[in-house]
Amino acid sequence: MDFSPADAQPLMWITARPDLVFVEGRGSWLTDHRGKRYLDFVQGWAVNCLGHGHPAIVDALTTQAGKLINPSPAFYNEPSLKLARGLTEHSCFDRVFFASTGAEANEGAIKLARKWGKVHKGGAFEIVTFNGSFHGRTLATMSASGKPGWDTLFAPQVPGFPKATLNDLASVEALIGPDTVAVMLEPVQGEGGVVPASAEFLQALRRLTLERGLLLIVDEVQTGMGRIGTLFAHQHAGIEPDIMTLGKGIGGGVPLSALLAKEAVCCFEAGDQGGTYNGNPLMAAVGVAVLDTLTAPGFLAEVAALGDYLGAKLRELSDELGLNGERGQGLLRALLLADERGPAVVEAARNLAPEGLLLNAPRPHLLRFMPALNVTRNEIDRMIEQLRPLLAK
């Protein structure tokens, strides 16, 4: 394939992109239009939980495409029924609404919480969220996010999202008032720099919300579907939230997300929630294949072991080069640099030859690692070998 920057002119500009086109992917590897291979430790920002071209996903897509793609969400379809049943059987939730993106799922969670507040708490609508959080790119989910600078980007914001400090219960308590209906957080703040909420904080937050009659919403768009070694991240703390959102990994690379809730919270009426593509059988069939793969005996235990291995290798590298350590859970990790050269390292890694390395720097002082959940130890070792000389310079 021939490519020049002029070929991308019809695309709306939203960010700078390198002058390459990816044309093929297998497992942890991508190949560009020139034939160069790249070891992928981004995987579409934790989207491709089974890597590129996984046989179960390819088979689900091709088989379902030959049967039924979309009868409209006004009717039931077999894959969405099967996926909803599987998710409820493997979680503490009773009901599922399917959408296409994590932002849609989080928007739905906000709507559901506000509707519940209208019905059960005299119109309470405020949802306490956290500094450093990321919940999506719609106006409401951007307002809910605590990403620096977003409060003025598309002002005015949607009101009703006071910001607390992660792992600081007193900061949450200080924001609770008569208009508070819920607390919403990511178990691990991914875009915020891979900052985990401690198990003790999650447990205390669950107790506090129960005592105050508030809903607890966990945004597991990035952490859900096995990313940290359990099917859902909140399970590490042994808590049961009222609402959970899923995205990214649930579709293994295709646009699929989900809003899950306890029965007592489900108060939508006809017309309150919907979407042209919600629960379409083509995407839901992939979701079934992903869930079946993740819940197969031994799979999640191996993810946890791989996460420990990746964490140990990053700590060794940090100690060797005098960096500032690593943090995260499972296969969502960050390496803390000694300066703010993260973006430069990302570019240098991509430009390595003969094989490149794909990394992510959500903050200038750190690198984030989100490999496929079936990455191999050899591939982790290869990534460390490629990264070491870049950081040693």
Side-chain angles (χ1 to χ4, degrees), residues 6 63 83 98 135 142 147 161 191 205 238 247 256 273-274 281 286 315 371 378:
T63 300
L83 181 55
F98 292 114
H135 298 294
M142 286 183 72
K147 188 170 181 176
F161 300 101
E191 287 293 313
L205 196 59
L256 179 65
Q273 183 70 332
V286 175
R315 287 191 296 276
N378 286 339

Side-chain angles (χ1 to χ4, degrees), residues 166-201:
L166 193 68
N167 292 319
D168 182 348
L169 192 67
S171 74
V172 179
E173 291 181 283
L175 295 174
I176 295 174
D179 289 328
T180 307
V181 69
V183 178
M184 180 178 185
L185 82 163
E186 305 156 274
V188 180
Q189 290 185 344
E191 287 293 313
V194 191
V195 183
S198 71
E200 295 77 15
F201 177 70

Side-chain angles (χ1 to χ4, degrees), residues 1-8 18-21 33-34:
M1 172 185 174
D2 294 326
F3 171 76
S4 74
D7 295 328
D19 292 337
L20 60 86
V21 180
H33 66 290
R34 296 177 297 250

Side-chain angles (χ1 to χ4, degrees), residues 27-28 48-52 54 293 299 303 306 331 371-376 379:
S28 291
N48 309 315
C49 64
L50 299 178
H52 300 284
H54 191 277
T293 302
F299 187 93
V303 173
L306 286 167
L331 288 174
L373 303 185
N374 51 4
V375 67
T376 67
E379 288 166 341

Side-chain angles (χ1 to χ4, degrees), residues 366-377:
L366 59 84
L367 299 173
R368 177 170 51 166
F369 304 84
M370 302 165 284
L373 303 185
N374 51 4
V375 67
T376 67
R377 286 164 177 77

Side-chain angles (χ1 to χ4, degrees), residues 192-220:
V194 191
V195 183
S198 71
E200 295 77 15
F201 177 70
L202 288 171
Q203 292 161 3
L205 196 59
R206 176 71 283 193
R207 289 193 296 269
L208 175 65
T209 50
L210 288 172
E211 290 167 2
R212 301 293 184 91
L214 306 176
L215 301 179
L216 179 60
I217 306 169
V218 288
D219 172 353
E220 297 231 22

Side-chain angles (χ1 to χ4, degrees), residues 68-298:
L68 178 66
I69 292 178
N70 193 1
S72 109
F75 304 98
Y76 295 120
N77 69 76
E78 184 178 9
S80 69
L81 294 174
K82 187 174 181 179
L83 181 55
R85 176 64 63 185
L87 288 171
T88 55
E89 287 178 347
H90 286 96
S91 73
C92 64
F93 302 99
D94 305 301
R95 303 274 185 167
V96 184
F97 171 82
F98 292 114
S100 301
T101 68
E104 281 182 272
N106 283 335
E107 189 94 8
I110 292 166
K111 289 170 63 178
L112 183 59
R114 287 191 172 188
K115 184 63 180 281
W116 185 85
K118 180 180 179 180
V119 174
H120 297 288
K121 285 186 71 68
F125 68 96
E126 286 190 346
I127 300 174
V128 176
T129 58
F130 291 84
N131 294 315
S133 62
F134 182 92
H135 298 294
R137 295 183 181 273
T138 66
L139 285 176
T141 55
M142 286 183 72
S143 300
S145 300
K147 188 170 181 176
W150 275 24
D151 55 338
T152 58
L153 190 56
F154 297 108
Q157 283 198 311
V158 176
F161 300 101
K163 305 295 189 295
T165 301
L166 193 68
N167 292 319
D168 182 348
L169 192 67
S171 74
V172 179
E173 291 181 283
L175 295 174
I176 295 174
D179 289 328
T180 307
V181 69
V183 178
M184 180 178 185
L185 82 163
E186 305 156 274
V188 180
Q189 290 185 344
E191 287 293 313
V194 191
V195 183
S198 71
E200 295 77 15
F201 177 70
L202 288 171
Q203 292 161 3
L205 196 59
R206 176 71 283 193
R207 289 193 296 269
L208 175 65
T209 50
L210 288 172
E211 290 167 2
R212 301 293 184 91
L214 306 176
L215 301 179
L216 179 60
I217 306 169
V218 288
D219 172 353
E220 297 231 22
V221 168
Q222 187 163 131
T223 58
M225 303 307 292
R227 175 56 51 183
I228 68 166
T230 52
L231 194 57
F232 311 117
H234 69 268
Q235 293 172 331
H236 266 298
I239 63 168
E240 291 192 1
D242 301 292
I243 298 173
M244 176 176 71
T245 56
L246 298 172
K248 297 185 184 293
I250 189 176
V254 305
L256 179 65
S257 63
L259 162 64
L260 295 88
K262 295 284 193 72
E263 181 67 33
V265 182
C266 294
C267 55
F268 279 147
E269 299 175 273
D272 284 351
Q273 183 70 332
T276 305
Y277 297 105
N278 64 285
N280 80 81
L282 187 61
M283 301 302 100
V286 175
V288 171
V290 169
L291 182 62
D292 286 348
T293 302
L294 299 188
T295 55

